Amino acid sequence: MPRQTSHCGRFRPAPLTRRDLLRQAGCGFGAVAASALLHREAVRGSAGMLPALHHPARATSVIFLYMDGGVSQVDSFDPKPRLAQDAGKDPRSLFKVDATQFNNVGSVLPSPWNFKPYGESGIPVSDLFPHIGGVVDELAVIRSMTSDFPEHTNANYFLHTGSGLQGRPSMGAWTNYGLGSENDNLPGYIVVNGGLIPPGGLDNFTNGFLPATYQGSVIKPNPSGLANVKPLEESPALQQAKLALTRWCDHDFAARLASTGTAPAPDALESAIANQELAWRMQAEVPSLLDLSAETAATKQAYGMESDHESTRIFAAECLLARRMVEQGVRFVELTCPNTGNDRWDQHRNLRTGHEQNARAVDQPIAALIRDLRHRGLLDTTLVVWSGEFGRTPFAQGSDGRDHNPQAFSVWMAGGGVKGGTILGATDDYGYRVVENKCTIHDLHATMLHLLGIDHLRLTYRFSGRDIRLTDVAGTVIRDVLVDRSI
Amino acid sequence: MTFSGATPLIVLPRWLTWSLLVAISVATSAGRADPPSVEELEFFETRVRPLLVTHCAECHSTEAGEPEGGLSFDSRADFLAAEGVAVAGNPDESLLVNAIRYDGDLQMPPNGKLPAEAIATLEDWVRRGLPWPDDGKQATVASFDIATRKAEHWCWHPPQSSAPPAVRNEGWCRSEIDRFVLARLEAAGLEPAPEAKRAVLVRRAAEVLTGLPPEPDDVAAVITDPNPTAFENYVDRLLASPHYGERFARHWLDVVRFAETRGHEFDYPIPNAWRYRDWVVAAFNEDLPYARFVREQIAGDLVDDPRLDAAGGNQSVIGTGFWYLGEEVHSPVDILQDEADRTDNRVDTFGKAVLGLALGCARCHDHKFDAISHEDYYAIAGMLMSSSYRQVPFETLEHNRGVTAEAEAIAADNRAKVLPLVAAMLAAVDPTAGLPPPEVIAAANADRETQVERAAGETLIADYTRGTEATPVSCDAVAWTAVPAGDPFIVQPGDTAAIGVRLTPTGFAASEAVWSKTTSNAARDPIGDIDRAGRILRTPKVRIAQGILWHRVRGNLQIFTTVDSHVMVQGPLYGGTVMKVDTQGQWQWIRQDLRRDIDWKSPHVVHVEYAAVAGPVAVAEVVAAPEEPSRPDPLLAAVLDLGGDPLVAGRLLFEEAVAACRTGSIDSNALAVMVNRMLEGGGFDWSQGPAKHLAEETIAAAAMRQAAFVKIRLESATAPAILDGNGIDQFVLLKGSAARPAEPAARRFLEAIDGQGQPAWPANSSGRLVLADRVLDPKNPLTARVAVNRIWHHLFGRGLVPTPDNFGKLGESADDPLAQALLDTLAVRFVAEGWSVKQLVRGIVTSATWRMSSARDSAAVKQDPRNLLFHHFPLRRLEAEAIRDKILAVSGRLDPTIGGPSVEVFLTDFHEGRGRPGSGPLDGAGRRSIYTTVRRNFLPGFLVAFDYPVPFQSMGRRNVTNVPAQALTLMNDPFVVEQARLWAKRTLADDGLSPVARIDRMYREAFVRSPAPEETAAALNFLTAQARAHGTDFAEQPLSEAAWADLAHALFNTKEFIFVP
């Protein structure tokens, strides 16, 4: 393939890629993943498309805690006393109000929760998240996050893929495409589904136009949680015998495709044969990964596995699984929220009950996860990101809900090169708009890739006539939250 | 009528906005004649340059790629090349300063305002006249020029037919294709692989052409057929099979991002999208010429020779469903941006599918590499914005068109016949009897100015009161007709005592009661709760700037004001765009307030769709206005227009009215009103003379019309389709943002193909029919090439141009001049031979090239590892659908029915999310995969594992990957296990066979060959061992279904099953 010396200025030139190398070496277009898989036996951990990291990585794995529906920033990490002063006033008399999803603008609504400073950093956290408050010195809270989309689906795609439209690869897919996986027997991008698939569906976790190897594997937090991972045969021997016959046939078939001399079998065929071996191993590996029975009682209790609330128990299992996956070298783990019966974090009404129950489900497990990672020495190399797709309005929708607000919301990061105990950015007196250090989703993605040792401008894939990146045509690393700003 | 209000469409002055585009052409005053002083240069180096480097250079530098917006701070020359960025000496008029102050739309740097000190420094720099040392460097930013771009890249040059090159091994060649291929091989010192065995060819041809394995009986017959054209004959049989159409339709569905739902949050259905799918299947099966195939998709609603099916249904219009297969969002907060996004998907899909061009790249700026300008993009976008979505009752369209024409003719005949009778009756009437009293006339005269003022605040959307002069009656089928002023009607039909005739005092658009009874026998769009298909009156599209609409209507009807072509009315927003009214038979102004749903800070393009709920309905006018419009009596207005003595004017008008009646047509509101008043007040005796005659004729005509309406076919299937409208030019959107409109782009085709200064396209139509002409014009270098390349791609697994959706610079070009010449030669011949896809397929498949064995020669592989020269037939993994279909075919479960409504997706626990439908059956009812519902948010797991595309944009070349999910699927998917059991059952059904014969049959069904002896032995061993594991003795019970099912399952898992040799 001819290299372009320059191209659409919105996209930076890609380096000579591993894919190109493979292609020149005679592999087919889609054989990359397979080639990588084939070489697993020799090299622990398959390579991604990047021949080398762009700079030293601080993190090797990501755990993305996805707060589906949009947590209210003014009720979680961005206290706004002014809301109490102006309670009940028409927000339009106080500031300019933009169109919202429901356009049912109520009065200024103070937070029903108190905020307290926690830890040495004294970062204020609302009473919704007392456990997270306990690990606040590990967090860098970004109060100035923004999104481009006020609707769930577009915003979800945007948060996951850097584009508001369907079909682009998810950040987990990009990460694996760039870095490869560290475990032969497990997918590199796993979504642990707590019960809610976000609006926009499974395409939030898609590989898009990247090879299917990089798609998110959706796993449920129970031992048979991966599609088709459970053999249907009555005994392993029955299946093994089938696969033995198949393998025998396949080698025969491959041999017949060389007409003269010692032409190797086509790569696609070799890879397909190797894949079957991998699949066979996954049948054993995945269920054992998902089996939490070996965890100690103390660990289970710390995560909340014994909670009175089912949703807390589910999210506790998710967090525990996330740690186990990171231990096993899974590159990117995403957790989705359990169903608390409140339609995700999307509290257009019943703010108090909805946010309380959602927070109760995730608060203890998340805090336990961070402590556990720290305790095991994994937090330094694991980037934990907590984010919804947007925030909520500081004024009411109706009387007791909040509408979508993409103009300002809070996210936090921890571990993996992130400077704990940090607050970055600020919103106005009402928490409605960002006034300082505005950050975008592209910036968040750029920062995540940066910590993984990737320059977001140089992780590209040519599709549809363009070299496309996770950060589209934007993105700046948010250096203020990094331990080491110099890289 | 277009919006002409005062809302500024351009946020920044024009010279500034254009500077945001890539090439900047407006003069600047940056830079001065006299060189800057040493102090000034020092100021620049110590204060300014560090700021530029720290805050701007990340994007505005060639170091990191092409600089954003064409602005680079790398050198003085680069900075000056980006003209219009700063005005030396004048910070307040400099875009640069504007941007860093965050004053306007453009805010730089994007991630946060600079510290005040830095802003002050840069302001100072501008004020001082932009001092910057000249380092002698040249500007590096290139500009956009269509002619240069066109000259530089092959795809813009028309294809030329070439004589096939000379080859040494003439005997190998079966067609001219082979000469091109062989010449390349010979030049490289390679030989083509030998011809594949007949059985391999049969399998290959069946699976590539129909996506199904060959019938075992066919195999035997073809293999033993001594006829030298046995293979050609078999190919013809395959091309005649309806399964060929299914197979090639599926390829095309990838290209048009076919889906049956709209994705987004709730994955709402696109009702009846399967009609389009069946249309594509039929098109391939009928070998519809490709040019026609494309024409009908672009403008099948507008062709003057629609293809009718046996029942008289219009087939051509179904092709236009093409435009509406994309995603759609309900309740977008920014509806203008949403329309821009929807339109973008259509433009982009059109460009890739038909032209192999990434038109979408020109949405934000001129294409960075190809000869496509920013304006080209919006010129095409305008055609889509001028059209609108509908469900078309294609079955009854043509039939009912005839009935409507008949009814209109009856009405016209009646007018011609009876209006002269009216003239006769008027002979005895006082000419001024119809005039309003003098005081009314005087008052109206005094009020005239106010009227004029008030009307100035209105934007007219449609006016049906003046015949078709102001607004043509446009509808989604044929349910509406224009009723002119002066149309006679019976006052109270059925009441003989009150019988009498009146004339309609004004023109209007009318829909007879019969039309409110239409039903579409399939799913419909949920706008309101009535069946709208075929009942819609559609006004022109008009750009308006105010959110209150007034509709003058009569009857029980639904009003749907389509804003920015948004049709996904599902709440929470836009509920106000749909309303139902019943005026109880009276004319009424209905107020519609769209201010809650839509932000009117920017103008919006609207059109209105009226549909009858019950009974006859009529529409006179619709305007956007803050207050209820007031319409003076037309007769009064006419009198005042004439001026002078009202009585004289009245007399004059009376004479005109009588003259008009004599000609049989009035068609003037003023005259009709006058005559009508006389008919009302003239004290006519309706039981005798011309009055009686008039009444009788009018009653008779009404009866005839009713008799015609009985013939109307009320029930029709519908399909998604496009509806044409008046032409609306879309604005060029800066950076693709709907919030930043610049100049409108006149609708036209690409400048690189059609040149500059084309005549204006029709104002009364979107122009899609012209677009189809331009796309299919012999001068267009792309359409035929792209089509031929797609076919080659499907037949070989790789196109001569390896990127079938992108022939532009960023696509991959044909490997060498011979490959290019082959593509061009085939393209020229394709057009010359009438765009027959079947003929093209046949030509390729029967070539010696296609018949090569897939066995690889080690030397050839070493020299050309990617097989670019085609030294052997490339081994291919079957596509997702073909794998599943083959499993069904082999198991015997395949239901070969062609077409019809889709079968729901089988859902597992992993299919979650909003809009989750009920699950379909595990085996998809045995139907081919093309008939599984394509739900954007719930794609079938089995197919997705094997690279079934996510339908969001053209995907002419699918990924072919190897992932463990594929192996896991074949190993553990309950569908596969179930089919294995069915295959075993079928294999055992025939009592008389030995196990060896059964194994042989399974091999022939799966692989189109008999097993080698060692394979048979291995299978027998396997059966014995599995039977034992299942607790039976195979020697005693050779019909053990469990063991045979295991064998079937193992064979499904072999690579030979899913790879076509």
Side-chain angles (χ1 to χ4, degrees):
Chain A
M1 183 180 69
R3 300 268 313 145
Q4 297 296 335
T5 49
S6 68
H7 51 267
C8 182
R10 304 177 60 188
F11 304 95
R12 306 293 187 240
L16 180 65
T17 64
R18 181 181 155 78
R19 180 161 58 91
D20 288 344
L21 287 170
L22 286 167
R23 291 177 57 154
Q24 282 160 17
C27 295
F29 180 78
V32 195
S35 301
L37 294 172
L38 275 177
H39 296 107
R40 290 287 183 71
E41 297 306 322
V43 188
R44 172 76 180 177
S46 68
M49 64 76 80
L50 296 176
L53 292 176
H54 296 135
H55 52 256
R58 295 300 300 251
T60 53
S61 303
V62 177
I63 297 176
F64 188 75
L65 305 166
Y66 175 45
M67 297 297 114
D68 183 3
V71 182
S72 165
Q73 68 281 11
V74 296
D75 298 313
S76 55
F77 292 97
D78 195 5
K80 290 294 164 187
R82 184 69 181 269
L83 296 179
Q85 286 171 37
D86 286 336
K89 289 190 187 157
D90 182 345
R92 287 165 292 207
S93 70
L94 301 167
F95 50 86
K96 181 171 163 283
V97 171
D98 288 346
T100 63
Q101 176 75 88
F102 284 79
N103 239 358
N104 179 15
V105 175
S107 54
V108 169
L109 181 66
S111 177
W113 295 280
N114 291 317
F115 282 74
K116 281 202 290 279
Y118 283 88
E120 283 179 23
S121 58
I123 294 177
V125 179
S126 87
D127 290 350
L128 279 173
F129 298 109
H131 290 90
I132 294 178
V135 295
V136 83
D137 288 339
E138 302 281 9
L139 312 188
V141 176
I142 299 172
R143 287 177 173 170
S144 50
M145 187 53 65
T146 58
S147 174
D148 287 357
F149 299 92
E151 301 119 336
H152 292 294
T153 306
N154 295 134
N156 286 337
Y157 289 147
F158 189 47
L159 173 63
H160 281 88
T161 72
S163 160
L165 298 175
Q166 196 165 20
R168 288 281 185 96
S170 191
M171 49 188 163
W174 278 111
T175 307
N176 276 279
Y177 163 67
L179 300 178
S181 172
E182 293 200 326
N183 187 310
D184 293 350
N185 306 334
L186 291 172
Y189 173 22
I190 297 182
V191 179
V192 185
N193 173 17
L196 292 172
I197 291 285
L202 297 173
D203 266 10
N204 283 294
F205 320 125
T206 183
N207 53 298
F209 40 72
L210 295 176
T213 325
Y214 304 117
Q215 71 195 334
S217 293
V218 179
I219 283 186
K220 297 190 166 231
N222 66 58
S224 57
L226 177 71
N228 296 322
V229 81
K230 194 175 173 314
L232 300 177
E233 284 81 3
E234 284 156 20
S235 73
L238 282 169
Q239 189 194 42
Q240 255 171 307
K242 281 184 200 171
L243 295 179
L245 179 65
T246 300
R247 199 178 305 122
W248 185 81
C249 293
D250 288 347
H251 286 297
D252 180 57
F253 179 57
R256 273 185 283 127
L257 288 168
S259 69
T260 58
T262 51
D267 298 298
L269 186 60
E270 292 283 13
S271 324
I273 292 170
N275 254 320
Q276 197 146 25
E277 306 295 328
L278 171 56
W280 185 76
R281 292 196 302 274
M282 279 172 66
Q283 292 182 142
E285 189 95 354
V286 172
S288 86
L289 173 77
L290 300 181
D291 180 6
L292 300 178
S293 59
E295 296 288 336
T296 66
T299 302
K300 288 186 195 168
Q301 188 165 19
Y303 274 80
M305 296 278 291
E306 264 112 58
S307 164
D308 293 339
H309 302 286
E310 193 196 359
S311 53
T312 309
R313 294 197 299 272
I314 293 172
F315 204 75
E318 292 182 64
C319 285
L320 199 39
L321 281 175
R323 190 214 78 213
R324 291 168 68 90
M325 289 172 186
V326 165
E327 280 175 326
Q328 293 294 310
V330 176
R331 182 72 68 187
F332 199 107
V333 182
E334 173 163 355
L335 308 185
T336 71
C337 288
N339 187 356
T340 61
N342 291 284
D343 200 3
R344 312 164 358 266
W345 284 94
D346 194 23
Q347 267 73 69
H348 289 281
R349 53 192 189 84
N350 284 336
L351 175 69
R352 185 182 279 275
T353 321
H355 263 43
E356 229 153 53
Q357 293 183 359
N358 286 323
R360 191 176 63 201
V362 303
D363 181 39
Q364 182 186 348
I366 289 175
L369 172 65
I370 289 182
R371 284 206 181 91
D372 197 14
L373 289 172
R374 171 60 76 206
H375 174 70
R376 288 166 195 260
L378 287 167
L379 191 59
D380 287 334
T381 53
T382 304
L383 174 64
V384 182
V385 181
W386 180 96
S387 178
E389 67 268 38
F390 42 51
R392 311 205 74 83
T393 54
F395 45 85
Q397 174 184 350
S399 59
D400 63 345
R402 297 192 192 273
D403 208 335
H404 309 162
N405 181 25
Q407 317 202 56
F409 60 109
S410 299
V411 306
W412 57 255
M413 304 167 90
V418 168
K419 190 168 65 183
T422 311
I423 295 178
L424 178 72
T427 53
D428 60 21
D429 288 347
Y430 301 93
Y432 184 49
R433 277 180 223 272
V434 170
V435 293
E436 205 176 278
N437 291 98
K438 177 174 159 185
C439 295
T440 66
I441 297 294
H442 296 308
D443 299 339
L444 180 67
H445 288 158
T447 309
M448 291 167 69
L449 292 179
H450 176 84
L451 290 169
L452 290 162
I454 300 172
D455 175 357
H456 70 104
L457 301 174
R458 289 154 68 195
L459 180 68
T460 65
Y461 189 90
R462 173 149 311 169
F463 176 72
S464 182
R466 301 197 320 211
D467 283 352
I468 296 178
R469 348 186 285 244
L470 171 60
T471 49
D472 196 18
V473 296
T476 306
V477 174
I478 309 170
R479 291 183 195 274
D480 290 340
V481 299
L482 307 184
V483 172
D484 182 355
R485 295 174 48 112
S486 66
I487 301 170
Chain B
M1 177 131 327
T2 55
F3 167 70
S4 56
T7 305
L9 296 175
I10 299 177
V11 183
L12 300 168
R14 186 175 151 76
W15 67 273
L16 289 178
T17 55
W18 282 109
S19 73
L20 301 177
L21 301 179
V22 181
I24 291 132
S25 57
V26 184
T28 177
S29 44
R32 296 171 309 176
D34 28 313
S37 69
V38 175
E39 289 76 23
E40 282 179 332
L41 291 181
E42 193 182 318
F43 163 74
F44 174 79
E45 293 297 352
T46 56
R47 308 275 309 276
V48 179
R49 200 196 284 272
L51 287 175
L52 298 179
V53 169
T54 316
H55 299 290
C56 314
E58 189 174 350
C59 305
H60 295 289
S61 162
T62 41
E63 298 273 300
E66 201 157 315
E68 293 287 339
L71 171 62
S72 162
F73 289 112
D74 288 347
S75 70
R76 180 173 181 271
D78 278 329
F79 174 65
L80 293 182
E83 294 172 5
V85 173
V87 181
N90 196 342
D92 293 339
E93 281 183 25
S94 294
L95 177 60
L96 173 77
V97 174
N98 231 300
I100 60 173
R101 283 177 182 163
Y102 273 45
D103 273 353
D105 197 32
L106 184 72
Q107 303 188 333
M108 288 288 158
N111 293 324
K113 205 169 163 177
L114 293 174
E117 194 185 329
I119 295 174
T121 302
L122 290 171
E123 284 172 348
D124 198 21
W125 179 53
V126 178
R127 200 172 296 116
R128 291 176 186 222
L130 303 163
W132 190 330
D134 187 353
D135 53 11
K137 278 189 191 150
Q138 296 295 309
T140 50
V141 182
S143 67
F144 174 79
D145 176 60
I146 286 202
T148 316
R149 293 276 175 88
K150 203 177 146 175
E152 277 172 356
H153 189 60
W154 66 272
C155 88
W156 302 102
H157 312 150
Q160 308 283 343
S161 183
S162 311
V167 291
R168 287 190 292 277
N169 187 0
E170 281 283 343
W172 180 76
C173 299
R174 289 173 180 270
S175 76
E176 68 179 11
I177 292 171
D178 300 325
R179 289 173 208 280
F180 285 95
V181 172
L182 185 61
R184 289 208 308 173
L185 287 172
E186 287 180 345
L190 294 175
E191 283 188 16
E195 182 163 319
K197 288 188 191 126
R198 184 70 67 80
V200 170
L201 282 182
V202 168
R203 173 179 171 186
R204 187 188 293 170
E207 293 187 355
V208 170
L209 297 188
T210 68
L212 289 171
E215 296 285 337
D217 293 347
D218 276 354
V219 182
V222 180
I223 289 175
T224 54
D225 187 347
N227 189 328
T229 61
F231 179 64
E232 283 84 346
N233 297 346
Y234 181 58
V235 167
D236 285 338
R237 287 228 304 282
L238 292 172
L239 289 174
S241 154
H243 298 313
Y244 156 79
E246 293 172 321
R247 169 76 170 165
F248 277 71
R250 187 53 250 185
H251 293 323
W252 184 253
L253 296 184
D254 285 7
V255 171
V256 298
R257 63 11 182 156
F258 175 79
E260 297 174 72
T261 63
R262 291 173 168 130
H264 195 57
E265 189 168 348
F266 290 95
D267 206 24
Y268 292 114
I270 304 171
N272 310 310
W274 63 270
R275 296 274 179 188
Y276 172 84
R277 177 247 288 149
D278 280 3
W279 179 90
V280 178
V281 172
F284 279 103
N285 277 333
E286 292 161 19
D287 200 22
L288 186 66
Y290 181 79
R292 180 75 188 190
F293 177 67
V294 168
R295 174 182 292 273
E296 292 191 0
Q297 291 181 74
I298 297 175
D301 55 324
L302 299 175
V303 295
D304 50 16
D305 56 342
R307 288 185 301 128
L308 303 186
D309 57 29
N314 183 327
Q315 285 293 307
S316 299
V317 71
I318 301 174
T320 65
F322 161 75
W323 294 111
Y324 293 108
L325 300 170
E327 286 169 63
E328 297 210 25
V329 169
H330 76 279
S331 284
V333 173
D334 185 344
I335 194 170
L336 279 168
Q337 189 61 37
D338 181 59
E339 181 180 49
D341 291 344
R342 265 183 283 123
T343 307
D344 180 55
N345 177 263
R346 288 170 197 152
V347 173
D348 193 52
T349 304
F350 159 75
K352 286 179 178 144
V354 180
L355 303 170
L357 290 177
L359 295 185
C361 285
R363 175 182 178 179
C364 304
H365 45 61
D366 294 324
H367 198 290
K368 294 282 179 176
F369 301 101
D370 293 334
I372 306 164
S373 69
H374 199 196
E375 203 172 326
D376 278 333
Y377 173 94
Y378 288 98
I380 289 171
M383 281 180 258
L384 298 172
M385 294 186 51
S386 302
S387 310
S388 54
Y389 168 83
R390 63 170 156 171
Q391 284 281 325
V392 65
F394 64 92
E395 289 182 327
T396 55
L397 191 60
E398 299 305 319
H399 170 85
N400 290 347
R401 200 190 297 281
V403 179
T404 298
E406 189 184 330
E408 279 196 289
I410 292 167
D413 279 355
N414 181 51
R415 282 194 293 276
K417 204 182 290 177
V418 304
L419 286 176
L421 295 171
V422 174
M425 289 162 67
L426 294 184
V429 175
D430 168 10
T432 58
L435 281 185
E439 64 272 20
V440 173
I441 296 178
N445 201 16
D447 196 34
R448 273 195 115 185
E449 231 163 82
T450 332
Q451 288 285 355
V452 170
E453 225 167 77
R454 215 160 148 181
E458 297 175 0
T459 309
L460 187 65
I461 294 170
D463 177 6
Y464 299 104
T465 64
R466 291 180 284 146
T468 52
E469 174 193 328
T471 310
V473 171
S474 159
C475 39
D476 72 328
V478 288
W480 294 75
T481 51
V483 174
D487 194 46
F489 63 93
I490 294 293
V491 179
Q492 285 185 20
D495 181 354
T496 46
I499 210 155
V501 173
R502 300 286 183 273
L503 303 188
T504 54
T506 173
F508 55 89
S511 181
E512 295 287 337
V514 61
W515 293 109
S516 66
K517 300 191 178 78
T518 53
T519 56
S520 49
N521 58 15
R524 58 185 168 81
D525 273 305
I527 290 170
D529 56 2
I530 60 164
D531 198 339
R532 302 190 320 141
R535 290 189 203 177
I536 296 169
L537 170 70
R538 178 204 190 273
T539 70
K541 290 199 183 205
V542 177
R543 193 168 268 121
I544 62 171
Q546 55 198 347
I548 300 177
L549 264 56
W550 295 89
H551 310 265
R552 191 148 70 92
V553 297
R554 187 179 68 190
N556 186 355
L557 75 174
Q558 179 179 288
I559 299 170
F560 170 41
T561 299
T562 317
V563 183
D564 302 317
S565 65
H566 176 73
V567 295
M568 296 288 290
V569 182
Q570 303 278 2
L573 298 178
Y574 308 111
T577 60
V578 185
M579 58 193 298
K580 255 182 172 178
V581 294
D582 185 355
T583 70
Q584 307 292 331
Q586 303 302 310
W587 284 107
Q588 254 181 43
W589 280 108
I590 301 295
R591 180 176 188 269
Q592 186 177 30
D593 188 345
L594 295 172
R595 291 174 305 176
R596 183 195 168 268
D597 290 308
I598 291 134
D599 170 4
W600 290 91
K601 283 200 287 283
S602 314
H604 296 266
V605 173
V606 305
H607 75 263
V608 187
E609 298 183 353
Y610 300 95
V613 173
V617 290
V619 177
E621 286 177 86
V622 51
V623 296
E627 312 264 332
E628 176 169 334
S630 138
R631 293 287 179 262
D633 180 289
L635 179 54
L636 244 177
V639 169
L640 294 178
D641 275 351
L642 282 170
D645 183 349
L647 289 180
V648 176
R651 212 174 277 279
L652 224 106
L653 289 169
F654 177 77
E655 276 158 26
E656 255 185 65
V658 173
C661 285
R662 281 206 199 95
T663 67
S665 161
I666 293 183
D667 212 5
S668 148
N669 294 342
L671 302 185
V673 166
M674 171 172 269
V675 174
N676 216 17
R677 293 229 173 101
M678 290 171 171
L679 289 175
E680 262 167 30
F684 295 106
D685 179 355
W686 294 96
S687 63
Q688 59 174 340
K692 181 179 184 224
H693 194 182
L694 172 61
E696 283 169 357
E697 287 288 350
T698 305
I699 290 169
M704 278 168 72
R705 277 163 52 82
Q706 289 311 315
F709 286 135
V710 170
K711 289 185 270 184
I712 282 172
R713 286 169 54 192
L714 294 173
E715 191 178 309
S716 175
T718 65
I722 205 165
L723 176 61
D724 205 45
N726 55 314
I728 286 271
D729 290 340
Q730 168 64 325
F731 296 109
V732 172
L733 302 181
L734 301 180
K735 295 233 163 189
S737 163
R740 299 171 63 185
E743 305 292 305
R747 287 161 295 120
R748 57 164 176 74
F749 191 44
L750 303 178
E751 188 187 320
I753 296 174
D754 274 6
Q756 280 179 319
Q758 294 297 309
W761 285 30
N764 61 355
S765 159
S766 66
R768 280 180 292 106
L769 195 58
V770 192
L771 176 67
D773 285 340
R774 305 309 310 139
V775 162
L776 298 165
D777 189 275
K779 258 177 44 194
N780 179 347
L782 289 160
T783 307
R785 260 195 195 128
V786 169
V788 168
N789 189 60
R790 287 195 189 287
I791 297 298
W792 187 281
H793 170 86
H794 297 317
L795 296 175
F796 281 103
R798 191 185 70 233
L800 290 165
V801 172
T803 50
D805 302 328
N806 191 357
F807 276 41
K809 257 190 136 167
L810 289 199
E812 294 175 47
S813 293
D815 301 309
D816 64 27
L818 274 177
Q820 175 78 58
L822 171 55
L823 176 63
D824 282 4
T825 304
L826 288 174
V828 171
R829 200 205 306 167
F830 180 56
V831 175
E833 292 180 353
W835 305 83
S836 164
V837 175
K838 278 192 182 178
Q839 208 163 323
L840 176 65
V841 170
R842 188 182 193 279
I844 296 172
V845 169
T846 56
S847 68
T849 305
W850 204 80
R851 294 190 213 202
M852 281 190 283
S853 160
S854 56
R856 297 146 38 107
D857 174 76
S858 56
V861 168
K862 204 165 174 193
Q863 189 176 333
D864 174 21
R866 292 177 62 198
N867 194 24
L868 294 176
L869 301 176
F870 292 107
H871 42 78
H872 64 270
F873 185 83
L875 180 80
R876 304 170 61 174
R877 197 202 73 210
L878 286 171
E879 296 86 347
E881 296 91 331
I883 293 172
R884 182 180 163 277
D885 293 356
K886 184 171 177 180
I887 289 174
L888 289 171
V890 166
S891 79
R893 175 69 183 95
L894 183 72
D895 172 354
T897 307
I898 311 291
S902 300
V903 181
E904 276 304 339
V905 186
F906 173 73
L907 299 178
T908 68
D909 291 350
F910 293 92
H911 285 101
E912 287 184 82
R914 291 182 165 182
R916 189 182 198 269
S919 177
L922 176 63
D923 66 358
R927 299 291 304 281
R928 291 194 70 176
S929 306
I930 192 176
Y931 300 120
T932 298
T933 314
V934 185
R935 288 188 180 269
R936 284 202 149 85
N937 292 3
F938 302 93
L939 295 173
F942 182 99
L943 300 182
V944 168
F946 290 97
D947 304 308
Y948 184 75
V950 177
F952 72 110
Q953 65 177 40
S954 279
M955 184 80 80
R957 178 177 73 179
R958 287 189 184 185
N959 278 324
V960 184
T961 63
N962 280 296
V963 291
Q966 293 163 359
L968 286 173
T969 299
L970 290 175
M971 284 157 65
N972 299 330
D973 187 320
F975 162 74
V976 179
V977 173
E978 181 183 279
Q979 296 305 309
R981 192 165 300 126
L982 288 178
W983 191 17
K985 259 192 177 43
R986 206 167 62 78
T987 302
L988 298 174
D990 195 344
D991 278 347
L993 295 179
S994 70
V996 170
R998 291 185 210 281
I999 292 166
D1000 181 72
R1001 199 169 94 179
M1002 289 176 85
Y1003 263 70
R1004 281 187 287 111
E1005 286 168 348
F1007 311 130
V1008 196
R1009 67 178 177 87
S1010 287
E1014 58 272 24
E1015 288 175 308
T1016 309
L1020 282 171
N1021 282 340
F1022 173 80
L1023 287 166
T1024 308
Q1026 295 298 96
R1028 193 180 310 124
H1030 288 298
T1032 56
D1033 181 340
F1034 186 72
E1036 282 172 21
Q1037 291 177 288
L1039 300 184
S1040 156
E1041 190 183 298
W1044 285 95
D1046 284 354
L1047 178 61
H1049 193 194
L1051 296 183
F1052 281 158
N1053 272 277
T1054 61
K1055 306 305 160 277
E1056 192 173 358
F1057 190 80
I1058 60 172
F1059 280 85
V1060 189

